[in-house]
Amino acid sequence: MTKLRITETVLRDAHQSLLATRMTTQEMLPIIDAMDKVGYHSLEMWGGATFDSCLRFLNEDPWERLRLIRKHAPNTKLQMLLRGQNILGYKHYADDVVREFVKKAIFNGIDIIRIFDALNDVRNLATAVDETKKQGGHAQCALSYTLSPVHNVEHYVGKAKEMENLGADSICIKDMSGILTPFAAYELVTELKKSTKLPIIVHTHYTSGIASMTYLKAIEAGADIVDTAISPLAMGTSQPPTEPLVAALKDTPYDTGLDLKALNEVAEYFKPLRDKYLESGLIDPKVLGVDANTLIYQVPGGMISNLISQLKQSGKAEKFDEVLAEVPRVREDLGYPPLVTPTSQIVGTQAVFNVITEERYKMTPKEVKDLVKGLYGKTTVPIKEEVKQKIIGNDEVITCRPADLIEPQLDILREEIKEYIEQDEDVLSYALFPQIALSFFKERWATKNKIELTMYDEKHKVHPV
């Protein structure tokens, strides 16, 4: 039995979950040197929504964030979250873009890439896994955890074996909704340890209030690594707190070996930042409590806030309970997809439409149609014919890996923005978020050249310098 290892999430998932990924690089840097000395297994600090938020809201280059944190944390592995063939966007990209992104991520300092697919379609992980290993990185494949009549232990063990055969270096149980219960975790980890030879990582959220108990049972079953957040930015829709788990395991066979005094230094740094986020409204106190709806409807915390926002915009806020009840029905109709980006948004938006139009599938967004057409991959179970007819009629459904239909994109993208390229990575930022990246590039250019720009399109404004 070996000691438990800890992945610290405060630099990515914790602030993504609690304050919409608004922590700036400059707010992170003063504590990174101290975090590097703690002895964490890894620092999860990139990927997920950080890339989008850096460009869209913070006027930061996400690649520069990675390089700066790498410089201040030379001794600790840096980890990122990658959405498989979606990379960090919301659609599938060509293989050449996926490979170049992975290559540049590792070149700039990433050690571990956690790769998942919203549908658990392992075909959508293959390119990213292959390139991660080619570049000398650690390819961690994630099982997007959900519950349904077909999502059982045997299902996840089968997926884990596929991932192992693909070349995964480790397997993560990714419980984005906080619905993995303690005894279910014990059973699943036990069977995964029997069935694969790979390290097992458990990731969950505190949304439903059971996460620390879940970790203890998973650890007893043999989990090698768990994800936690330093206490000021833990719990609620974030991860379980780091320090209590470290204290609970001290002087046991699972002792992490981490020093509570070193962790306290990290915690003390983030306390005033947390207070600032609360005062500014970036952290809504509602996300800090326990939400039983998570266990009933399997809806992640971030998805709940999106549903509320959509209903308010439609003037139908009173329909929230109806929409929550509609979510599982839509999910069943669409083949039981796990509720994680982008399928959580797809299912949630359709549930809102079904309720506010008072007719199921009267309105269907493009993304729902694409899901039914197979353009996101293979659903857990086939979509029923009558549902398919309602949504796409007699349109063709593909059965191949979606990216097989996408022509190489990198050279075309590079040509489109050649006048703005200052680093090789710029073409990747543009590939993922074209309008937002272009806005960032123009402002960067204007700032360096001390030239004033006013409105240059309908959505983005460059501030005078």
Side-chain angles (χ1 to χ4, degrees):
M1 198 174 291
T2 57
K3 70 177 184 179
L4 180 77
R5 288 169 282 166
I6 299 285
T7 290
E8 173 61 59
T9 68
V10 72
L11 303 177
R12 205 283 298 178
D13 201 9
H15 74 104
Q16 178 173 320
S17 300
L18 294 179
L19 56 130
T21 336
R22 296 298 202 277
M23 193 189 300
T24 68
T25 302
Q26 290 309 310
E27 287 172 327
M28 299 175 188
L29 287 180
I31 196 61
I32 302 295
D33 295 87
M35 294 179 76
D36 188 42
K37 296 170 184 169
V38 168
Y40 292 116
H41 168 68
S42 63
L43 298 175
E44 198 225 19
M45 44 63 64
W46 213 59
T50 59
F51 206 94
D52 186 352
S53 290
C54 278
L55 293 169
R56 189 188 300 264
F57 302 114
L58 305 177
N59 194 30
E60 288 186 12
D61 180 1
W63 298 98
E64 185 61 15
R65 172 180 291 189
L66 170 54
R67 290 188 285 262
L68 284 168
I69 293 177
R70 175 79 285 168
K71 180 181 176 182
H72 286 271
N75 305 305
T76 308
K77 291 173 184 173
L78 299 186
Q79 182 170 319
M80 73 167 292
L81 181 67
L82 189 85
R83 298 173 187 146
Q85 207 70 28
N86 288 6
I87 311 179
L88 301 176
Y90 307 101
K91 64 178 185 179
H92 283 213
Y93 296 90
D95 285 338
D96 64 336
V97 179
V98 175
R99 288 189 182 279
E100 185 68 9
F101 189 94
V102 168
K103 179 180 175 182
K104 289 299 183 185
I106 292 172
F107 174 80
N108 281 283
I110 290 293
D111 299 291
I112 301 168
I113 302 184
R114 178 176 292 170
I115 307 163
F116 78 96
D117 178 68
L119 296 177
N120 285 324
D121 186 339
V122 176
R123 298 175 303 172
N124 294 334
L125 310 178
T127 300
V129 169
D130 183 66
E131 192 61 32
T132 299
K133 294 177 76 69
K134 277 185 180 174
Q135 299 301 325
H138 177 106
Q140 183 179 112
C141 286
L143 298 160
S144 296
Y145 183 80
T146 190
L147 297 170
S148 80
V150 290
H151 286 92
N152 52 30
V153 171
E154 292 74 25
H155 172 82
Y156 288 118
V157 167
K159 288 291 179 183
K161 286 179 177 176
E162 286 184 56
M163 292 170 176
E164 186 174 31
N165 292 336
L166 199 64
D169 296 306
S170 58
I171 301 289
C172 173
I173 303 167
K174 178 178 167 57
D175 173 27
M176 54 280 172
S177 302
I179 57 174
L180 179 62
T181 58
F183 289 93
Y186 185 90
E187 183 184 7
L188 180 52
V189 172
T190 297
E191 293 306 314
L192 287 173
K193 295 294 285 186
K194 284 181 189 173
S195 306
T196 77
K197 297 176 182 177
L198 302 179
I200 303 298
I201 300 91
V202 185
H203 168 95
T204 191
H205 290 250
Y206 215 91
T207 320
S208 63
I210 59 176
S212 289
M213 293 180 279
T214 295
Y215 274 177
L216 282 177
K217 291 304 292 183
I219 291 161
E220 285 182 352
D224 299 278
I225 304 163
V226 296
D227 289 5
T228 63
I230 203 73
S231 55
L233 288 176
M235 299 192 291
T237 51
S238 177
Q239 276 72 53
T242 307
E243 305 98 304
L245 187 67
V246 168
L249 298 175
K250 188 171 173 56
D251 298 326
T252 74
Y254 315 104
D255 195 326
T256 64
L258 302 188
D259 181 4
L260 282 172
K261 289 181 180 177
L263 290 169
N264 189 56
E265 181 184 351
V266 178
E268 289 297 321
Y269 177 81
F270 283 104
K271 280 179 183 175
L273 279 176
R274 178 183 188 271
D275 293 342
K276 184 186 87 168
Y277 302 140
L278 278 165
E279 288 169 14
S280 70
L282 267 179
I283 295 180
D284 184 334
K286 290 177 183 176
V287 306
L288 298 177
V290 171
D291 189 345
N293 279 325
T294 302
L295 293 169
I296 299 168
Y297 300 113
Q298 299 187 48
V299 176
M303 185 176 170
I304 288 175
S305 58
N306 283 339
L307 294 178
I308 292 169
S309 174
Q310 287 178 325
L311 287 169
K312 282 181 178 176
Q313 287 171 14
S314 306
K316 302 280 186 179
E318 75 280 2
K319 300 280 189 182
F320 178 65
D321 287 340
E322 286 182 56
V323 170
L324 268 187
E326 177 66 4
V327 166
R329 292 193 286 265
V330 172
R331 189 168 159 257
E332 180 180 356
D333 288 345
L334 298 181
Y336 292 114
L339 295 179
V340 64
T341 303
T343 49
S344 54
Q345 291 91 330
I346 292 171
V347 170
T349 300
Q350 187 62 62
V352 169
F353 282 0
N354 286 358
V355 169
I356 65 176
T357 63
E358 298 183 351
E359 183 181 334
R360 304 187 81 231
Y361 305 109
K362 180 180 180 180
M363 289 175 60
T364 51
K366 178 182 182 297
E367 291 78 9
V368 173
K369 292 175 181 175
D370 286 349
L371 178 68
V372 176
K373 289 177 184 177
L375 295 175
Y376 285 94
K378 186 179 179 183
T379 53
T380 312
V381 297
I383 296 170
K384 294 173 186 173
E385 193 58 39
E386 60 268 29
V387 174
K388 200 183 298 179
Q389 279 292 324
K390 273 186 184 179
I391 296 172
I392 63 168
N394 294 318
D395 287 1
E396 182 189 359
V397 176
I398 70 162
T399 56
C400 65
R401 184 184 72 114
D404 289 342
L405 303 175
I406 306 174
E407 295 291 329
Q409 298 169 316
L410 208 54
D411 289 342
I412 297 167
L413 294 166
R414 193 176 282 116
E415 181 65 23
E416 285 178 4
I417 60 156
K418 60 184 179 184
E419 63 188 294
Y420 294 110
I421 293 177
E422 294 186 9
Q423 57 179 354
D424 289 345
E425 291 81 1
D426 287 343
V427 70
L428 296 164
S429 301
Y430 177 71
L432 298 181
F433 304 105
Q435 286 184 312
I436 298 158
L438 202 57
S439 170
F440 175 79
F441 297 154
K442 288 181 177 180
E443 186 158 353
R444 180 180 66 185
W445 180 84
T447 302
K448 286 187 176 179
N449 290 279
K450 295 187 170 22
I451 293 173
E452 292 189 6
L453 292 181
T454 53
M455 293 292 289
Y456 60 83
D457 70 22
E458 292 179 358
K459 293 184 179 179
H460 301 103
K461 185 175 181 180
V462 173
H463 305 290
V465 292

